[in-house]
Amino acid sequence: MLLGIVVTLISLWYGQNHGLLPVAASAEAILVDGLFNVMMTISCGLFLLVEGALIFSIIRFRRREGDDEDGVHLEGNIPLEIVWTAIPAVIVFGISIYSFDIYSEMGGLDLMNHNSTPTEAVKIAYAPDLENGDMPLLSDVGLGEPPSSAGQPALEVNVSGLQYAFIFTYPDSGIVDGELHIPSGQLVRLNLQAQDVLHAFWLPEFRVKQDMIPGQETRLVLEATREGTYPVVCAELCGPYHGGMRTQLIVHSPEEYDDWVQSKVAQGNTAETLANLPGSDRTDAQYLANFVEPLDLDIDADALAQLQAMPHAHMASHS
Amino acid sequence: MTTSEVKPAAAPASEAILGNERKWTDYFTFSTDHKVIGIQYLVTAFVFYMIGGALATAMRTELATPAPDFVTPDVYNGLLTLHGTVMLFLWIVPAGAGLANYLIPLMIGARDMAFPRLNAIAFWLIPPSGILLISSFFFEPPTAGWTSYPPLSLNTGMLGEGIWILSILIGGTASILGGLNFLVTILKMRVPSMPLTKMPLFCWAMIATSLLILISTPVLAGALILLAFDLIAGTAFFNPTGGGNPVVYQHMFWFYSHPAVYIFVLPLFGAISEVIPVHARKPIFGYRAIAYSSLVISFLGLIVWAHHMFTSGTPPWLRMFFMITTMVIAVPTGIKVFGWLATLWGGKIAFTSAMLFALGFIATFLIGGISGVMLAAVPFDIHVHDTYFVVAHFHYVLFGGSVFGVYMAVYHWFPKMTGRMMNETWGRIHFALTFIGMNLTFMPMHELGLMGMNRRIALYDPQFTDLNVVATIGSYIMAVSTIPFIINAIWSWRYGQKAPANPWRALTLEWQTLSPPIIENFEELPVLQTGPYDYGLGYIPEKDPAELYSHAGEPAAAT
Ligand code: HEM
Ligand SMILES: [Cu+2]
Ligand SMILES: [Cu+2]
């Protein structure tokens, strides 16, 4: 009894104070962290209970010197077995429901309402009436607008992944950049696509991730809640320099964000930006350096030289 | 006692031969004796484990610092791909098959497997498959990870990728042949007095494993053949440039590879269900629950694959469906873990090396199981997918479960296989080093992943250096930990103390014949007198121990 209380208290405390996650900088992150903390509480309790029972048995039920007898003949205990089938079942059921709830709050289910829209719906000869609209199970992939939000995201950014960089295009203002700038407190929609191989767009501080798939656009809708600079990380093996495929996300206050847009537009010509972006006519090594310098890594010169010698295997940056 | 000049030819002599007339050269031939094949499998697998471990040590050395300075990122990806592939397809699968081969006929009172020749063929496919794969390292290693997702796998080098595909197709064929053989043997060749419900739990686990192998491996073969067409013939099944869909490959791949994780671990679930009752002197708790939960796991294991694709091109309803099936699989797994714990509870636990590894198995597998349930929760998995959290999770399952399980099994059945006891002190040292090293290596990876370190990278953000150094130190401890094991195994095999027929006083049938067993296993087919775990009822393990023991000594002296 006392033990139960202690285990519960420790678990509750640890569930809140594990310190295992980076700062939460988005609305989604706060939801996910809530889920993680609950799971961590339950896990901690379970861990202490089971490992405790194990250690207790090891000490209490060890074989004494010279004791060659068998233990008690006990083949099972149906009620007990039902209990330890039922308890995990209830726990995972609870976690499932909670996860489902969080998932829909994050806008995961929103996509069910928009059907996936490939360029043109294929007409099937023997079922000419069948359109995509009739196939409710086909939908976009990623995260959509959270149900709590009114209206559409104010800002839309097209994100393109290529070995080994991200390119951000702002259709409204024509800005093209290698870093992602967004305003806080607003819904932002990211349309993700990949130009060569699979990549994944991950924002650890936002707790969101979505693969970028060549030939299929995916999507993330998120809302930053905390200003600052955060890493953008590729989380799908995309080649040797996968580890170097990173950039930055800068969350501005709405005013600062407007200033940034102004200054970018004033600079005008995106051609220059484009030229500085990976993928146009650079070698792997050059843009690798872009991502390595902020990381403070020193890649040895040989490796770079070796890379430079390699043929350039990329498609041109998208326009 | 019959003295016999019969040479142990490939086809065993029809009359029962006492003693062990095996020559060491048999182990290098196309022998059809399941015991020879079992040991061939185990030794071969262990050699590949050493290679896979060396690759892992090289990777950890690279990861001791953030910059790619020890090897180039290209080479790192080669190490990564070969490490994953070798560990899974050349170590865990063959090790499980080796145990199954050695144990199943002995446990059910059969003289051999149902299809001895097929069995030998299955084994002899493994070395070419492995040598092929390893050799690729010296000209062009595959670098797309053990999952080999297109389009990356289609443009990282045709030779390496082609070798990888061929090697796995060969290994997969071996696995299918083995699975078929295990299934038929267990269902058809039991001694008449053994109903399914009196069968050792290892055999139940192998039924579940074999079903999974037979259902899912062909799908992997299909996926790899299509991938090979894309790679070599320029088709576009998965290549988006030609209108293919790379996500379809992922579905096919994981349709095999999720069940595969149960193929990796179920045989060891079976083995631990044998070891714990013997060394705790208590019947297994909830025989039926443990037996049937294997089958439930293997069924559920077939419908959870897309949990590896939560952040891929997976629509919302699929994400929710696979979340729930994955969560449910925790229930039968929990039944097993609780069953083992309850078996220990009230027993008389002897801290043999086998038991220590069994305890380590439960302790670490539990952690992998808990993090597994967390990963099933879609919103959380979206954060940690493809990070070091996942790396920590699957190593707790694969290392804590499968590798501890194999070591446990070796310490437990070594006397049966070789007729010699292993040194227990060195066994304990081996356990302590492995357990410490394993936790030191993989525990910090949970935090790394949560904090933002993605996996499969040769260079990483310097903020993660400290924990990576800890992990690297842990991996060196693990590397060192195998040394006492290897020395112990080789030394004991040659000079260890002679093992009686039944050193652990166990009740299952494999202990009721000599150590090592005669060529056709049993002088006379045994008749079941007790259930496999009827400890505490005053049964004496064998009819006349003295007779068995005396047989054991003689032929060995003759060689
Ligand atoms: C000997 C100790 C071991 C160490 C130090 C070790 C270390 C590692 C490391 C550092 C990675 C790279 C993780 C990543 O970036 O994704 C890795 C991947 C992996 N390991 Fe191990 N590992 C060990 C044993 C094992 C065992 C016993 C197994 C299986 C039975 C295994 C299976 C795998 C697999 C499947 C991968 C994924 C490869 C891939 O991403 O393609 N490892 N291991
Ligand atoms: Cu990448
Ligand atoms: Cu899985």
Side-chain angles (χ1 to χ4, degrees):
Chain A
M1 189 61 199
L2 187 68
L3 211 67
I5 296 172
V6 172
V7 167
T8 315
L9 285 179
I10 295 178
S11 309
L12 283 173
W13 181 84
Y14 190 68
Q16 298 303 320
N17 299 283
H18 50 74
L20 290 173
L21 287 166
V23 292
S26 73
E28 293 74 21
I30 294 161
L31 293 170
V32 173
D33 289 7
L35 173 65
F36 179 68
N37 290 352
V38 168
M39 292 198 297
M40 205 59 199
T41 309
I42 298 172
S43 304
C44 185
L46 208 68
F47 176 82
L48 291 177
L49 225 65
V50 177
E51 304 283 5
L54 189 63
I55 292 171
F56 178 81
S57 316
I58 291 175
I59 297 170
R60 174 73 181 68
F61 302 115
R62 66 183 190 281
R63 192 181 77 100
R64 315 292 148 125
E65 198 66 50
D67 177 359
D68 282 342
E69 299 284 292
D70 285 353
V72 280
H73 183 84
L74 179 65
E75 291 195 345
N77 180 327
I78 301 287
L80 191 60
E81 288 170 44
I82 291 176
V83 168
W84 71 46
T85 309
I87 290 179
V90 170
I91 291 177
V92 297
F93 188 66
I95 295 180
S96 300
I97 293 185
Y98 187 18
S99 303
F100 186 84
D101 190 46
I102 297 282
Y103 183 64
S104 61
E105 270 187 67
M106 289 168 76
L109 296 177
D110 174 62
L111 299 171
M112 297 293 284
N113 307 327
H114 313 251
N115 292 310
S116 168
T117 39
T119 39
E120 216 171 277
V122 181
K123 289 268 183 260
I124 303 173
Y126 48 84
D129 302 339
L130 190 74
E131 290 202 18
N132 262 322
D134 299 332
M135 303 173 85
L137 295 182
L138 268 184
S139 74
D140 278 352
V141 169
L143 290 176
E145 283 99 56
S148 54
S149 73
Q152 293 289 309
L155 176 63
E156 198 164 324
V157 185
N158 295 331
V159 187
S160 168
L162 70 166
Q163 284 172 324
Y164 302 98
F166 297 100
I167 298 174
F168 303 94
T169 316
Y170 294 67
D172 297 341
S173 50
I175 298 173
V176 179
D177 203 358
E179 289 176 348
L180 177 59
H181 293 256
I182 60 169
S184 71
Q186 291 177 20
L187 281 187
V188 178
R189 172 168 160 170
L190 306 174
N191 301 315
L192 311 172
Q193 48 151 315
Q195 299 200 4
D196 36 33
V197 298
L198 295 167
H199 301 276
F201 183 85
W202 180 31
L203 303 174
E205 279 75 7
F206 280 43
R207 318 279 192 268
V208 292
K209 175 183 297 121
Q210 175 59 49
D211 282 12
M212 311 169 90
I213 305 169
Q216 180 185 3
E217 190 174 273
T218 54
R219 171 183 348 164
L220 283 176
V221 176
L222 36 92
E223 182 187 341
T225 53
R226 195 172 176 281
E227 287 162 35
T229 302
Y230 309 106
V232 177
V233 181
C234 173
E236 182 68 61
L237 180 61
C238 57
Y241 287 94
H242 167 51
M245 181 163 166
R246 302 163 65 92
T247 184
Q248 291 185 331
L249 159 67
I250 296 113
V251 180
H252 300 279
S253 66
E255 302 78 49
E256 258 176 36
Y257 175 74
D258 287 337
D259 292 346
W260 176 79
V261 173
Q262 301 286 303
S263 72
K264 270 285 175 186
V265 174
Q267 274 175 22
N269 200 342
T270 51
E272 191 196 339
T273 336
L274 259 183
N276 285 319
L277 284 174
S280 33
D281 62 346
R282 305 203 145 200
T283 60
D284 281 0
Q286 278 169 311
Y287 53 82
L288 177 68
N290 283 341
F291 296 94
V292 170
E293 275 150 23
L295 281 179
D296 249 351
L297 301 182
D298 56 319
I299 295 195
D300 66 291
D302 287 352
L304 282 184
Q306 227 181 340
L307 261 174
Q308 254 141 2
M310 283 194 337
H312 183 60
H314 299 287
M315 306 173 200
S317 150
H318 81 154
S319 45
Chain B
M1 180 179 171
T2 339
T3 43
S4 157
E5 286 96 275
V6 181
K7 286 264 148 61
S14 50
E15 54 175 309
I17 306 159
L18 277 180
N20 182 20
E21 325 250 341
R22 175 118 33 241
K23 291 182 308 198
W24 64 273
T25 46
D26 288 355
Y27 292 98
F28 296 90
T29 61
F30 189 83
S31 167
T32 54
D33 182 332
H34 74 98
K35 297 184 293 303
V36 175
I37 296 177
I39 290 171
Q40 285 174 326
Y41 262 116
L42 284 169
V43 173
T44 312
F46 193 79
V47 170
F48 285 121
Y49 177 49
M50 290 297 97
I51 295 173
L55 297 170
T57 312
M59 281 153 72
R60 281 308 332 164
T61 305
E62 162 57 57
L63 292 173
T65 58
D69 37 19
F70 178 64
V71 291
T72 66
D74 258 317
V75 173
Y76 180 86
N77 283 3
L79 295 172
L80 171 78
T81 305
L82 287 184
H83 164 70
T85 312
V86 166
M87 285 297 191
L88 301 179
F89 293 104
L90 296 167
W91 156 236
I92 286 301
V93 173
L99 289 174
N101 256 302
Y102 194 90
L103 295 174
I104 287 174
L106 286 167
M107 281 181 166
I108 62 175
R111 296 209 185 274
D112 205 321
M113 299 282 284
F115 310 114
R117 263 173 228 283
L118 201 64
N119 204 15
I121 293 173
F123 167 73
W124 282 106
L125 288 175
I126 302 281
S129 151
I131 290 167
L132 200 63
L133 186 73
I134 305 286
S135 68
S136 75
F137 192 74
F138 298 102
F139 24 108
E140 183 190 59
T143 55
W146 87 279
T147 50
S148 209
Y149 279 1
L152 183 66
S153 56
L154 299 175
N155 51 33
T156 45
M158 195 192 286
L159 185 61
E161 188 62 24
I163 291 180
W164 183 86
I165 292 174
L166 188 62
S167 158
I168 293 190
L169 284 176
I170 298 173
T173 309
S175 176
I176 293 176
L177 297 180
L180 190 70
N181 214 345
F182 301 144
L183 197 62
V184 176
T185 307
I186 296 172
L187 294 180
K188 291 281 170 216
M189 315 243 319
R190 277 168 289 129
V191 283
S193 50
M194 182 187 281
L196 281 173
T197 50
K198 280 232 164 25
M199 198 167 67
L201 285 165
F202 180 76
C203 298
W204 275 102
M206 285 315 299
I207 291 183
T209 310
S210 306
L211 286 172
L212 279 180
I213 293 176
L214 292 177
I215 296 170
S216 64
T217 316
V219 179
L220 176 72
L224 294 185
I225 289 169
L226 296 183
L227 189 68
F229 274 123
D230 276 10
L231 182 75
I232 296 163
T235 53
F237 293 106
F238 307 129
N239 193 344
T241 324
N245 187 341
V247 178
V248 174
Y249 172 85
Q250 299 177 12
H251 279 291
M252 294 180 78
F253 179 83
W254 288 112
F255 185 82
Y256 165 77
S257 292
H258 188 81
V261 310
Y262 298 103
I263 297 173
F264 306 148
V265 84
L266 274 172
L268 291 316
F269 279 2
I272 194 176
S273 303
E274 302 299 327
V275 171
I276 289 184
V278 177
H279 297 262
R281 312 306 307 160
K282 231 181 121 243
I284 191 86
F285 193 95
Y287 175 92
R288 276 164 196 260
I290 292 184
Y292 300 153
S293 63
S294 291
L295 295 180
V296 176
I297 288 177
S298 79
F299 171 71
L300 286 173
L302 288 167
I303 50 169
V304 299
W305 76 89
H307 65 207
H308 297 273
M309 302 167 57
F310 281 153
T311 68
S312 176
T314 312
W317 73 270
L318 263 183
R319 282 175 159 179
M320 293 298 113
F321 174 81
F322 283 103
M323 169 169 86
I324 291 164
T325 51
T326 307
M327 293 267 179
V328 170
I329 225 169
V331 175
T333 314
I335 291 177
K336 285 183 184 287
V337 174
F338 293 129
W340 299 326
L341 267 179
T343 308
L344 291 169
W345 193 275
K348 301 199 168 172
I349 304 173
F351 297 120
T352 51
S353 306
M355 186 53 135
L356 288 176
F357 274 100
L359 297 170
F361 179 136
I362 300 177
T364 46
F365 182 79
L366 176 77
I367 298 174
I370 290 178
S371 59
V373 172
M374 292 183 165
L375 287 169
V378 172
F380 176 66
D381 183 69
I382 289 178
H383 175 51
V384 292
H385 174 73
D386 249 320
T387 69
Y388 262 85
F389 187 87
V390 172
V391 179
H393 157 71
F394 70 70
H395 281 97
Y396 266 92
V397 177
L398 285 170
F399 202 103
S402 307
V403 179
F404 275 49
V406 177
Y407 278 135
M408 167 198 78
V410 169
Y411 281 106
H412 183 69
W413 280 292
F414 190 90
K416 181 53 61 184
M417 294 178 180
T418 63
R420 308 267 182 174
M421 303 302 288
M422 279 186 94
N423 181 305
E424 285 292 323
T425 311
W426 284 107
R428 292 191 188 114
I429 293 171
H430 172 215
F431 170 75
L433 287 175
T434 313
F435 190 76
I436 294 169
M438 132 90 203
N439 283 292
L440 216 52
T441 310
F442 299 118
M443 189 59 87
M445 293 185 184
H446 290 108
E447 180 170 352
L448 285 172
L450 289 164
M451 295 302 282
M453 181 164 165
N454 45 343
R455 67 184 273 212
R456 295 174 161 176
I457 54 176
L459 58 167
Y460 60 86
D461 189 335
Q463 81 174 93
F464 301 127
T465 313
D466 293 351
L467 288 175
N468 271 295
V469 170
V470 175
T472 300
I473 294 173
S475 72
Y476 291 160
I477 298 180
M478 262 196 289
V480 171
S481 79
T482 49
I483 296 172
F485 172 75
I486 296 174
I487 295 177
N488 190 353
I490 294 176
W491 189 86
S492 303
W493 195 321
R494 299 292 316 242
Y495 311 110
Q497 188 199 333
K498 288 258 161 54
N502 191 356
W504 314 120
R505 300 183 293 131
L507 291 176
T508 39
L509 292 184
E510 78 270 28
W511 300 104
Q512 303 194 20
T513 180
L514 304 176
S515 298
I518 54 174
I519 284 185
E520 292 234 302
N521 293 350
F522 300 96
E523 244 174 291
E524 274 163 55
L525 284 186
V527 177
L528 215 55
Q529 263 140 17
T530 70
Y533 310 110
D534 279 342
Y535 300 101
L537 291 181
Y539 287 124
I540 310 167
E542 61 278 326
K543 267 178 294 177
D544 185 358
E547 191 197 348
L548 275 171
Y549 294 150
S550 70
H551 285 335
E554 279 181 51
T559 37

